[in-house]
Amino acid sequence: MNRYFQHPRHAGATVVDGGHTRFRLWAPSCDTVMLEVEGHAPAPMARRKGGWYECVFPCGPGARYRYRVAPDLAVPDPASCYQPDDVHGASMVIDSGAYDWQYPRWAGRPWHDVVIYELHVGAMGGYAGVARDLPRIAALGVTAIELMPLSEIPGGRNWGYDGVLPYAPESSYGHPDDLKALVDAAHGLGLMVFLDVVYNHFGPDGNYLAAYAAPFFRADQPTPWGAAIDFRQAAVRTFFEDNALYWLMEFRFDGLRLDAVQAITERDWLRELPARVRARTEPGRHVHLIVENENNDAGLLRAGYRAQWNDDAHNALHVLLTGEDEGYYGNFSHAPATALARVLAEGFAFQGETSPVTHLPRGSASADLPPDRFIIFLQNHDQIGNRAMGERLGVLAPQQALRAAYGLVLLCPQIPLLFMGEDWGSRRPFLFFTSHTPELGRIVRDGRRREFAGFSHFASPETRDTIPDPNAPETFTASRPCGAERTAPDHVAWTAFIHDLLVIRHRWIMPRLSGAHAMGAQVIGPKAVVARWRMGDGAVLGIALNLDEAPVPMADAPEGRCLYALPQAAGMTAGSLPPHCVMVRLTEVHDE
């Protein structure tokens, strides 16, 4: 057993010895709390300072328990480590130090090594299903998998953002030790494992916190998902800080991606978290914290967060590839090449300018930040699944233009991310899916269809009715990766294409990434840009990209060794960049 990997938590059930467990609950709205362990008489919990309740009870791992917070209400533990009977069931005591780690000396990998592969655990067959696929993912050239949220969700089908028990890995995917085995197996293959965590809201079904801990929320700060979580409360801050360390220490995750942090109003907590994590994790271990932040708050990237998902990069590239201009793509439809050039040169496209869609200022200055502070992608769960029909770029964009875009994404100095299925060019949809109660499922279905009423294609009720019902089992089934698709000849060729690009990244980009900075980017055509970076060893990396159907003049072409070119045609430096083209060149120091 590796007790060293346990993280002491302020809340929840902690095994004291084989026959005793300590239970702690923050319930400031209660006058009394009773612990109910199945097979035993209820036991009163002692009230402590600050609204805490505590007791030590003669039970061990495997015991199932609830807290009775009112005569007519017994609830699962909000810090439950396992919910074998779903979000409304009893919690189970887990011995968090029982798993025998096979790679206890794993210390992670440095950030410049990172190539991320985002996946949905349930769609890939649970923890064991993902573990079986790890050798294939590692062979592709990926160095980190990122798991969509695992907090216990109602039912077994959900993206994970409806989780209500942040410490309990989703039980329909397997036992918590199965998750540890997945992380362990990844480490054995040299893969890091990141986890998407949701600290900005709870899901709509199974969240009982307001009944016994009303101060957990603040009614004066609504979010798209309900009342805001009140990070002014010390117990709330501790709850989520402990959660971050729980995943990093007990499950040995190599990093966390914090979802939609713009909805967390107390920015000081966000800014303090990286330092607290560094202080509590082992010296010499690589632990990476990532944010998703619609506000483009570059200050977080100066406060210790390793990188941010760069939605601006995605949106500019998507408009260039598809011509779509509705919804948030309206922010980029006027001059997408200009936005892409700024993304490559400075990180964010919006650095305080007013959004044409919201008419509000967005973002902050980011030009001083190195390119590896930004995660670049062509697809992810949001950008596919938040489309009404879940289409991937493979069915939306010209194939040659898409190939050229991948040359940019996988070989530029920003950190690349792929979404499951991208590696073989999947054309199957990834849809929004849930397994709510029938009543809540109808509300979600109807609300989702109303969201698309403002889009021209779904202007009529009849077309909106064609949007898949998230709660229908077949919606989930349609979103699962298909092995037969992956082995078809054209998809095998696409996998080889992605693999070849990652081989180039490993050899020529990764060793030079630390200390790289942008030298500028220029628009050379309606859908064409040229960008350059001074790499950490002094070499100059240049990328020319043309996503248009017509050639564009290129007076100042990148020079040096050709790392990659598509199409592989001669004369691309002779003053013209062909259609649907990418060219990547490296001038090493001794070549200048």
Side-chain angles (χ1 to χ4, degrees), residues 250-270:
E250 290 191 12
F251 286 84
R252 312 303 293 161
F253 280 99
D254 300 280
L256 304 174
R257 179 259 197 190
L258 278 65
D259 175 69
V261 299
Q262 71 273 4
I264 298 176
T265 55
E266 282 64 49
R267 311 304 282 176
D268 60 319
W269 182 82
L270 279 172

Side-chain angles (χ1 to χ4, degrees), residues 54 71 82 87 163 170 243 364 380-382 409 420 425 498 546:
E54 180 178 336
Y82 188 38
V87 295
E170 171 55 33
N243 185 261
S364 57
N380 63 26
H381 76 272
D382 268 332
V409 167
M420 64 176 190
I498 297 294
N546 181 19

